[in-house]
Amino acid sequence: MQRYAAAVFFGGPSPEHEVSVITGLQAVAALRERNKAVLPVYVSKGGRWFTGQGLDDIARYKRPSDLEQTATEMALAPGPGRSLRLVPLKQPFFGRAEGLLVDAVLLAFHGGSGENGGVQGLCESLGVPYSGAGVMASAVGMDKVRAKVLCKAAGIPVVPWMEISEGIWAGKEEHHLDAIIDGIGFPAIVKPVHLGSSIGIARVEDREALEGAIEEAFRYDAAVLVEQCVPNLREINCSVLGTIGNARVSVLEEPVSGDGTLSFEDKYLRGAPGKTGRSKAPSAAGMASLDRRIPAPVSDEMTQDIREMALQVFDALDGSGVARIDFLMDDASGSVFFNEINTIPGSLSFYLWEPTGMPFGELVELLLDLAVERFETRSRRVRSFQTNLLDVRASGGLKGKLG
Ligand SMILES: Nc1ncnc2c1ncn2[C@@H]1O[C@H](COP(=O)(O)OP(=O)(O)O)[C@@H](O)[C@H]1O
Ligand SMILES: [Mg+2]
């Protein structure tokens, strides 16, 4: 059976599908450059899994239906040892296609079940090492409220917010509007709790606009948060790489946009491709094409403070692999607030690591090494637990304790 050191998973049912294709192909190219046997695995918008010829060519993703015709649809199964097996769904008439084996998975999804813990759980069930955050941390990372709650509990500053779910909103709109205006005031920012890419986000200045924005956000999500608007806003992001207690921080970036709020277009559709430094990644540059200042022009002291906060957030949210942590700064007061964590950041934040001397290929390889390391640590722990349990059972202790 053909065996690959790594598979890169990308695409998937998510508004950020195309961005994920870019991140995925960037990672595939970087691993190829380092002579790794790497298998690109594309998940369609409909949630079907594909491998095969043509998946490396970004031009082919303009017509996904053609791609799905020529690529091979696969099913996933546990392989021998710590490996994953991909088996073609359509078996040949004679004989049997054995499929492919993969030793570790690099997750390059953005949004949807590829980033929210769903696919992470699938990899755990299948028994294959996967890059990035675990199930819980991935789910928290996609939930703007739960991430804030955990950070707040860890003493990290967050912007005051209120959360409303669709169930409690309906029929009591006026009551909730009163409470929000009382607790948050204007201007306020309204966001769906689980989405990214600025989808459904609005800045509002009065009651009518607030109501409209909440209704609009409910079109995307069953839960909405309203938070105080940070005045004199500057956005500062920082990447963290490693595991809790053994993580490093990148340089800071300040993304720049025309009107002060980064829109979906600002993030993904604007900007010239090819600002990818030394990497020979596909020319569409994804998050790397956003206009940004690197390093962010803030004082050395502020830089240190934000880097320190980024590490605290990574620990508080049980980060693993590479994450990008986004902060909101009030430029007049110098106050900095945690805004959100991206557990699979656009382009894996490689453009924040290149200036520290780490090329993209090294970053991706490190993510795979970390994935395997975490998998092995965990499987060791589970095995020793089982041994203890059986020992207790053998001596009749468990029965005794239960009875
Ligand atoms: N509390 C806030 N005050 C001012 N601007 C905000 C605030 N929260 C978000 N924004 C603006 O909205 C943008 C999108 O919000 P964000 O929470 O980062 O959601 P997303 O997951 O879509 O990136 C931010 O990049 C920022 O420009
Ligand atoms: Mg954001």
Side-chain angles (χ1 to χ4, degrees):
M1 223 179 304
Q2 210 165 342
R3 190 161 194 140
Y4 293 85
V8 177
F9 288 3
F10 56 90
S14 154
E16 295 162 272
H17 178 92
E18 283 78 13
V19 195
S20 165
V21 170
I22 295 169
T23 300
L25 294 185
Q26 285 173 332
V28 169
L31 287 169
R32 290 248 163 84
E33 254 180 67
R34 296 173 85 87
N35 297 319
K36 275 247 181 193
V38 53
L39 179 72
V41 176
Y42 168 64
V43 183
S44 70
K45 283 187 180 172
R48 293 159 67 197
W49 298 68
F50 294 93
T51 60
Q53 301 283 311
L55 287 190
D56 300 35
D57 181 3
I58 194 156
R60 303 218 42 208
Y61 293 84
K62 284 184 190 144
R63 287 172 170 275
S65 51
D66 291 359
L67 189 70
E68 289 175 33
Q69 291 289 316
T70 52
T72 311
E73 187 171 3
M74 309 297 274
L76 311 186
R82 55 155 180 85
S83 74
L84 170 71
R85 185 161 161 179
L86 291 108
V87 190
L89 272 186
K90 283 201 191 91
Q91 290 287 322
F93 195 70
F94 292 107
R96 191 166 160 269
E98 282 208 297
L100 314 165
L101 289 182
V102 164
D103 288 327
V105 175
L106 186 95
L107 297 179
F109 296 111
H110 300 311
S113 64
E115 192 174 351
N116 73 7
V119 173
Q120 287 75 9
L122 179 67
C123 290
E124 301 235 342
S125 306
L126 291 167
V128 65
Y130 61 95
S131 65
V135 174
M136 195 275 296
S138 299
V140 167
M142 287 284 282
D143 186 316
K144 290 191 160 77
V145 171
R146 257 42 64 183
K148 275 171 182 281
V149 168
L150 289 178
C151 283
K152 195 176 173 193
I156 298 157
V158 296
V159 179
W161 82 92
M162 286 173 81
E163 183 185 23
I164 337 152
S165 56
E166 210 169 11
I168 68 156
W169 168 254
K172 288 198 182 150
E173 291 86 350
E174 298 308 320
H175 163 80
H176 291 300
L177 288 170
D178 288 343
I180 293 166
I181 292 167
D182 205 34
I184 304 295
F186 293 115
I189 302 272
V190 180
K191 311 177 183 179
V193 170
H194 302 97
L195 280 184
S197 308
S198 301
I199 297 166
I201 296 189
R203 180 181 192 277
V204 293
E205 310 243 4
D206 58 45
R207 188 181 182 101
E208 200 186 331
L210 175 65
E211 182 171 11
I214 292 172
E215 296 281 358
E216 172 70 9
F218 279 137
R219 291 180 54 213
Y220 299 100
D221 201 334
V224 166
L225 77 155
V226 182
E227 61 183 39
Q228 275 175 9
C229 188
V230 175
N232 317 298
L233 179 69
R234 286 177 71 185
E235 299 183 57
I236 310 285
N237 304 338
C238 177
S239 182
V240 179
L241 170 64
T243 51
I244 290 184
N246 188 19
R248 41 188 143 170
V249 276
S250 72
V251 298
L252 304 187
E253 70 166 327
E254 178 173 13
V256 192
S257 78
D259 66 358
T261 302
L262 296 178
S263 66
F264 187 83
E265 285 73 20
D266 283 327
K267 283 183 183 169
Y268 302 123
L269 306 177
R270 240 161 34 95
K275 286 191 193 167
T276 52
R278 280 163 287 152
S279 128
K280 290 205 191 76
S283 60
M287 270 300 281
S289 68
L290 183 73
D291 288 332
R292 52 167 56 86
R293 301 193 185 106
I294 299 173
V298 292
S299 70
D300 289 352
E301 200 188 343
M302 181 64 84
T303 300
Q304 262 332 98
D305 288 353
I306 292 177
R307 283 162 56 106
E308 182 54 42
M309 262 169 87
L311 279 175
Q312 286 171 4
V313 171
F314 194 76
D315 287 0
L317 302 185
D318 197 20
S320 184
V322 71
R324 197 191 73 230
I325 296 161
D326 297 355
F327 297 94
L328 303 173
M329 179 170 109
D330 175 346
D331 200 28
S333 68
S335 307
V336 176
F337 306 92
F338 161 76
N339 183 40
E340 57 172 344
I341 183 169
N342 297 278
T343 51
I344 309 183
S347 301
L348 303 174
S349 290
F350 77 85
Y351 53 89
L352 294 177
W353 293 102
E354 278 190 344
T356 71
M358 185 186 299
F360 190 35
E362 195 178 313
L363 170 66
V364 178
E365 268 194 304
L366 191 61
L367 290 176
L368 288 167
D369 290 346
L370 286 169
V372 171
E373 214 176 281
R374 189 178 55 161
F375 183 91
E376 288 186 340
T377 313
R378 276 179 61 148
S379 32
R380 267 200 299 277
R381 238 190 278 289
V382 172
R383 256 198 301 275
S384 55
F385 171 74
Q386 280 172 340
T387 314
N388 289 343
L389 183 65
L390 290 176
D391 282 351
V392 176
R393 246 188 233 261
S395 64
L398 190 63
K399 233 183 181 173
K401 275 193 194 103
L402 289 174

